[in-house]
């Protein structure tokens, strides 16, 4: 069976994976880009933006595994956009422009389903109101023999961890304190007992922690 994976998921020292006050201008709220500066500097990220250059060290080696063997993604509605409640219109198709970086089917968890949206480059957004188990069943069908990525945000990753559906997870612990926002670890006591855990620290000050199901 395909694996369920989380990659490049950044949290602050106090456990917040996004800041408070998400808006169209600030997808991560008051955190801004501080959780992801290490990621933006990598060659992999620069290539995703159609650019050259970028770092090629340990962090780039970690980052570039995010799409290897991935056949579909699940994300929460708050990763897809800043809207809440019923969709006022269907003009918003995500933060990423006409050619999102996923290039696979993407299942967006929402209590307000809407028609699927086919984008350039092979990304199609499907909007489903489903439990983690049912969403994973649908996503696995779309992924075929390939793996499923849980793309975030924190509440979505937390739900899949709570349901014991994650096989591999990479968390980047960034040396900042946010103080407020949405936390990843709440309600996940003794999570570590399910996984083999390894970590590596990098010159940026970020500690990369990997969790692999026992």
């Amino acid at each position: 069976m395909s694996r369920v994976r989380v990659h490049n998921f950044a949290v602050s020292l106090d456990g917040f994976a996004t800041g408070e006050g998400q808006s169209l201008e600030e997808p991560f709220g008051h955190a801004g880009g501080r959780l992801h500066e290490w990621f933006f500097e990598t060659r992999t990220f620069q290539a995703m933006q159609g650019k050259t250059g970028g770092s090629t060290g340990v962090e780039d080696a970690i980052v570039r595994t995010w799409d290897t063997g991935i056949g579909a993604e699940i994300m929460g509605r708050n990763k897809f956009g800043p809207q809440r409640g019923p969709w006022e219109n269907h003009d918003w198709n995500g933060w990423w422009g006409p050619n999102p970086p996923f290039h696979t089917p993407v299942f967006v968890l929402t209590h307000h389903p809407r028609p699927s949206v086919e984008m350039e480059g092979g990304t199609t957004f499907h909007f489903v109101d489903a439990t983690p188990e049912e969403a994973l069943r649908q996503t696995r069908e779309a992924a075929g023999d390939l793996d499923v990525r849980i793309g975030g945000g924190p509440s979505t990753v937390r739900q899949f961890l709570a349901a014991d559906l994650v096989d591999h997870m990479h968390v980047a612990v960034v040396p900042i304190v946010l103080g407020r926002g949405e936390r990843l670890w709440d309600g996940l006591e003794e999570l570590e007992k399910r996984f083999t855990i390894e970590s590596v620290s990098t010159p940026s000050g970020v500690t990369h922690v990997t969790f692999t199901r026992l």
Side-chain angles (χ1 to χ4, degrees), residues 80-133:
F80 181 76
Q83 304 91 338
R84 305 291 187 268
W87 300 94
E88 296 181 1
N89 59 63
H90 293 172
D91 294 337
W92 175 265
N93 291 320
W95 309 100
W96 307 278
N99 187 3
F102 310 107
H103 311 303
T104 66
V106 176
F107 290 78
V108 181
L109 301 181
T110 173
H111 295 303
H112 301 279
R114 53 177 270 193
S116 297
V117 178
E118 186 173 350
M119 308 291 286
E120 297 175 15
T123 298
T124 299
F125 291 111
H126 304 284
F127 303 86
V128 297
D129 184 2
T131 64
E133 292 83 358

Side-chain angles (χ1 to χ4, degrees), residues 2 72 107 134-145 148:
S2 64
F107 290 78
E134 174 59 21
L136 181 57
R137 184 193 65 77
Q138 294 182 42
T139 309
R140 275 192 160 130
E141 288 182 1
D145 294 331
V148 171

Side-chain angles (χ1 to χ4, degrees), residues 33-106:
R34 288 182 291 159
L35 283 168
H36 304 96
E37 289 174 355
W38 63 273
F39 172 68
F40 298 150
E41 294 175 0
T42 63
R43 175 168 290 187
T44 297
F45 177 79
Q46 294 300 316
M48 290 167 62
Q49 307 303 303
K51 301 177 182 178
T52 59
S55 64
T56 59
V58 172
E59 282 175 329
D60 185 62
I62 294 171
V63 164
R64 67 173 178 257
T65 66
W66 82 288
D67 64 346
T68 302
I70 295 293
E73 171 159 329
I74 297 171
M75 69 172 62
R77 181 172 173 181
N78 290 359
K79 178 176 177 179
F80 181 76
Q83 304 91 338
R84 305 291 187 268
W87 300 94
E88 296 181 1
N89 59 63
H90 293 172
D91 294 337
W92 175 265
N93 291 320
W95 309 100
W96 307 278
N99 187 3
F102 310 107
H103 311 303
T104 66
V106 176

Side-chain angles (χ1 to χ4, degrees), residues 93-213:
N93 291 320
W95 309 100
W96 307 278
N99 187 3
F102 310 107
H103 311 303
T104 66
V106 176
F107 290 78
V108 181
L109 301 181
T110 173
H111 295 303
H112 301 279
R114 53 177 270 193
S116 297
V117 178
E118 186 173 350
M119 308 291 286
E120 297 175 15
T123 298
T124 299
F125 291 111
H126 304 284
F127 303 86
V128 297
D129 184 2
T131 64
E133 292 83 358
E134 174 59 21
L136 181 57
R137 184 193 65 77
Q138 294 182 42
T139 309
R140 275 192 160 130
E141 288 182 1
D145 294 331
L146 299 175
D147 290 348
V148 171
R149 181 175 55 233
I150 309 300
S155 64
T156 298
V157 173
R158 190 168 59 246
Q159 288 176 52
F160 278 82
L161 287 170
D164 197 19
L165 297 174
V166 175
D167 299 303
H168 174 86
M169 179 169 65
H170 160 229
V171 174
V173 182
V174 182
I176 62 173
V177 176
L178 289 178
R180 54 196 167 97
E182 187 165 6
R183 296 170 57 86
L184 174 62
W185 304 118
D186 290 352
L188 297 175
E189 293 86 353
E190 299 188 341
L191 172 76
E192 70 280 357
K193 293 183 178 180
R194 301 186 222 157
F195 298 93
T196 298
I197 301 174
E198 298 180 353
S199 66
V200 60
S201 296
T202 59
S204 67
V206 175
T207 298
H208 298 274
V209 186
T210 58
F211 300 73
T212 304
R213 181 187 290 278

